[in-house]
Amino acid sequence: MLYGTRRPATTEQVCPPKEIRENTKARRAWLAEKLAEVAAAGRVAEIVGAGSYQCISMKIQKDVVMV
């Protein structure tokens, strides 16, 4: 058994730009817009974090190839 090996990331995060991070209304509007884009693309996503550190976390789809 190997310990300390790095596993591939299963989530991808999209965070708002620094310019609007502290503006609550602008940040919430940006997050809602990006979440709608992600949902329209058929990906599973959710808003994670708190306050000005909120981001959208998306699950990464990986194809498994059986050899």
Side-chain angles (χ1 to χ4, degrees), residues 30-52:
W30 185 90
L31 288 169
E33 178 184 330
K34 291 296 179 186
L35 195 59
E37 288 176 12
V38 170
R43 296 181 74 184
V44 177
E46 64 181 349
I47 296 177
V48 295
S52 63

Side-chain angles (χ1 to χ4, degrees), residues 2-59:
L2 297 174
Y3 293 98
T5 58
R6 297 189 66 172
R7 295 183 181 175
T10 56
T11 59
E12 176 185 349
Q13 289 193 343
V14 178
C15 297
K18 291 179 183 180
E19 298 81 34
I20 65 168
R21 191 173 290 159
E22 296 299 324
N23 184 341
T24 303
K25 287 183 180 181
R27 184 184 70 246
R28 287 182 181 169
W30 185 90
L31 288 169
E33 178 184 330
K34 291 296 179 186
L35 195 59
E37 288 176 12
V38 170
R43 296 181 74 184
V44 177
E46 64 181 349
I47 296 177
V48 295
S52 63
Y53 294 100
Q54 288 180 321
C55 294
I56 296 174
S57 179
M58 299 175 283
K59 294 191 184 232

